[in-house]
Amino acid sequence: MSDEKLKAKMEQVTGSVKESLGKLSGDKSLETEGKVNKTTGKVDEVAADAKDALDGLAKGLKNKTKE
C-alpha cells in the first residue's frame, strides 16, 4: 500500500471517529467535520489508486519497449 493510500485511509478513520463523536455528543460541527474528513479521505484514496494504476501501466509499457 502506498503512503498516499495509507494517509487517505487514516483520514477516513479520523473522519469516522469525529463523525461518531459528534453524533454521540450532539456536536453538529464535529459530526460535519468528520463527514468532510471521510469524504476527503475517499477522494484521496481514489486518486492514489488511479496514480498507482498509471504507474503500473507506465512500467508495463516501459518493459514492453525494452523487449
Side-chain angles (χ1 to χ4, degrees), residues 17-47:
V17 170
K18 285 181 180 181
E19 183 179 3
S20 296
L21 288 174
K23 284 181 181 178
L24 287 172
S25 66
D27 186 341
K28 289 290 184 188
S29 176
L30 185 59
E31 183 179 345
T32 302
E33 185 179 339
K35 288 179 181 180
V36 169
N37 287 139
K38 276 181 23 180
T39 302
T40 301
K42 287 178 185 176
V43 169
D44 290 347
E45 182 181 7
V46 169

Side-chain angles (χ1 to χ4, degrees), residues 47-67:
D49 286 343
K51 182 178 181 260
D52 290 344
L54 289 173
D55 287 346
L57 178 63
K59 285 180 185 176
L61 290 173
K62 189 181 243 185
N63 289 337
K64 283 283 185 187
T65 58
K66 287 182 180 181
E67 294 175 359

